[in-house]
């Protein structure tokens, strides 16, 4: 039997497929809204969960993909972005990404979003990121994550 994922998940799958990957989406009845919840659902460590944190810099979106066990250093992100950054509110997140907080994936946006990846994520063989809803995640190698997001790897933790 095939089950149809929600449209938001299918957009993420399409983006992964377009990038040459075979999407590996997992669906959970329990919430995967936060990194801790996602880690419990998947059965992995919080460090292996990718937080997709959206910021605005001079009105433009900037995405930080941060290990679930790290806190983002806003100053570092501002230096990388070249301008001050502020956290996007729920409406700005939906507008820039097409997804709601708790389900924001690292890719599959209406327009490309400049992206920075927490270097600590590269210490794991596999990581899991939100796949478009607070009940779906997908697994990916950190190298593929960097590639499909065209990200800059950086020290992001506070
Ligand atoms: N599904 C999980 C990971 S698989 C997930 O999306 N985690 S997350 O960390 O990327 O998304 C939750 C984040 O959204 C929080 O860490 C927080 O930075 C942000 N957030 C939560 N509520 C708000 C809010 N009201 N306004 C802006 N950002 C928020």
């Amino acid at each position: 039997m095939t089950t149809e994922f929600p449209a938001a998940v299918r957009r993420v799958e399409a983006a992964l497929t377009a990038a040459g990957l075979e999407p590996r989406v997992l669906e959970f009845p329990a919430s995967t809204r936060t990194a801790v919840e996602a880690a419990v659902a998947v059965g992995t460590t919080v460090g292996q969960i990718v937080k997709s944190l959206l910021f605005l810099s001079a009105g433009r979106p900037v995405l930080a993909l941060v290990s679930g066990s790290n806190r983002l250093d806003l100053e570092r992100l501002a230096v990388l972005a070249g301008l001050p950054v502020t956290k996007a509110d729920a409406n700005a997140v939906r507008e820039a990404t097409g997804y709601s907080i708790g389900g924001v994936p690292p890719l599959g946006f209406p327009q490309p979003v400049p992206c920075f990846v927490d270097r600590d994520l590269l210490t794991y063989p596999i990581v899991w990121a939100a796949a478009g809803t607070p009940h779906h995640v997908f697994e990916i190698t950190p190298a593929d994550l960097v590639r499909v997001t065209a990200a800059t790897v950086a020290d992001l933790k506070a």
Side-chain angles (χ1 to χ4, degrees):
M1 193 185 92
T2 57
T3 52
E4 181 127 311
F5 284 138
V9 177
R10 282 184 277 129
R11 291 204 303 276
V12 179
E13 289 184 314
L16 289 165
T17 302
L21 295 182
E22 213 173 286
R24 299 170 67 86
V25 174
L26 303 173
E27 180 178 62
F28 297 98
S31 170
T32 56
R33 182 175 300 277
T34 67
V36 170
E37 288 174 343
V40 169
V42 170
T44 187
T45 62
V46 180
Q48 276 170 279
I49 301 298
V50 180
K51 296 192 283 192
S52 303
L53 306 177
L54 193 79
F55 295 85
L56 296 175
S57 177
R60 291 170 192 269
V62 173
L63 187 67
L65 302 179
V66 182
S67 167
S69 57
N70 285 347
R71 264 183 61 86
L72 175 80
D73 183 335
L74 260 189
E75 277 306 311
R76 283 178 192 260
L77 186 64
V79 169
L80 291 164
L83 286 167
V85 292
T86 57
K87 193 162 194 174
D89 67 17
N91 284 334
V93 169
R94 203 175 299 107
E95 192 174 326
T97 69
Y99 305 89
S100 297
I101 285 170
V104 178
L107 79 173
F109 307 136
Q111 308 285 334
V113 177
C115 183
F116 297 94
V117 167
D118 179 353
R119 193 181 300 285
D120 284 0
L121 286 171
L122 275 63
T123 63
Y124 303 105
I126 292 279
V127 296
W128 285 265
T133 89
H135 293 275
H136 297 84
V137 302
F138 69 95
E139 65 171 67
I140 189 167
T141 66
D144 279 338
L145 180 66
V146 170
R147 183 175 62 80
V148 303
T149 57
T152 301
V153 177
D155 294 317
L156 294 178
K157 69 168 175 281

